Amino acid sequence: EMEESANPVPEDVLKKIGDLGFLGINTPTEFGGLGLSNLDAIIVLEEFSDQYVLGIGFISLGINDPRVYAMNYINVILGRMYSSLLFDDLRTKHNLVYSVSSDIDSYKESGVFMIYCEMDKRNFYKVLERTLIVLNDVATKGISLKNYNKIRKSINNTLINTDNDSSSIAELRGKQYLYKNKTISDKELIKKYMSVTLKDINQLSKEILDFNKINILAQGRLSKNRILGMIKPYLWILIH
């Protein structure tokens, strides 16, 4: 079972790591480091780490695109919440990841939809396999009516105030003003989200979750050919 702890690394352990030079790999020699490159630091740390990272990205919508509200449904249902499809599959059912989340960065003309997973290195390829299955199911079969209604019943918590901290709210309002030259009230947002239909969401899912435009970030000692081989069947499905 996975162990989780909020306790910091003990000072004596940190000292031993520092004495071995692992805390200053890419720090300049004049400051007591080894003066090596960032790549050298990553390689050394990977050797000592049991945690690998998977990132998957797709091109998304600009903030002025009226479909951004449907896009946020996709984000929340796929990975933004603890009850999301990816959390349910990767964590609840298969216990493969330490964490999984998704997010959207929207700018004036375009945006990025991102999925981020952290797992034990032994689970990486299984996590990639399961993630591709979930994404393909949503792209080809769509979001279920059950998940659609679940989000709509609690719009304030699922779509409006997913990030309740002041910095996230300030960032949202700032982007609205920067790209729209105005801010949108919660009341206006609720109205826009309530106008989104299940058909809108599923049409957009097919467009956004295009495996021919997928971007993969894989952190760890992994096989590029194996990763590409796992993606290839989904390219065939979408092309044909």
Side-chain angles (χ1 to χ4, degrees), residues 196-210:
V196 175
T197 67
L198 183 58
K199 183 179 179 180
D200 294 334
I201 296 168
N202 289 334
Q203 285 179 339
L204 186 59
S205 295
K206 291 180 181 179
E207 177 184 333
I208 297 297
L209 302 178
D210 182 351

Side-chain angles (χ1 to χ4, degrees), residues 31 44 54 63 70 93 100 128 149 156 159 202 205-206 223:
F31 297 112
V44 171
L54 169 65
I63 199 168
K93 291 181 179 177
V100 55
L128 177 58
N149 287 332
N156 271 322
L159 293 169
N202 289 334
S205 295
K206 291 180 181 179
S223 166

Side-chain angles (χ1 to χ4, degrees), residues 113-129:
F113 173 55
M114 301 163 290
I115 296 161
Y116 182 83
C117 306
E118 295 178 332
M119 76 293 297
D120 185 281
K121 62 183 180 182
R122 295 167 294 184
N123 294 335
F124 179 88
Y125 293 110
K126 188 65 177 177
V127 170
L128 177 58
E129 176 190 5

Side-chain angles (χ1 to χ4, degrees), residues 4 75-93 97-102 116 147 150-151 157-158 162-163:
E4 297 182 14
N75 178 37
V76 169
I77 291 171
L78 261 177
R80 192 72 181 87
M81 300 176 62
Y82 287 122
S83 58
S84 68
L85 296 178
L86 285 169
F87 186 92
D88 183 56
D89 189 282
L90 298 175
R91 183 71 186 263
T92 306
K93 291 181 179 177
V97 296
Y98 300 134
S99 66
V100 55
S101 62
S102 68
Y116 182 83
N147 281 318
K150 181 171 69 174
I151 298 302
N157 294 323
T158 56
T162 52
D163 292 311

Side-chain angles (χ1 to χ4, degrees), residues 22-65:
F22 295 138
L23 295 183
I25 298 167
N26 54 344
T27 301
T29 53
E30 58 264 36
F31 297 112
L34 298 180
L36 300 177
S37 69
N38 291 335
L39 178 59
D40 292 323
I42 291 171
I43 291 171
V44 171
L45 292 175
E46 280 182 354
E47 287 293 332
F48 288 89
S49 175
D50 287 330
Q51 180 171 298
Y52 279 14
V53 172
L54 169 65
I56 296 179
F58 295 93
I59 297 172
S60 185
L61 308 173
I63 199 168
N64 291 316
D65 192 313

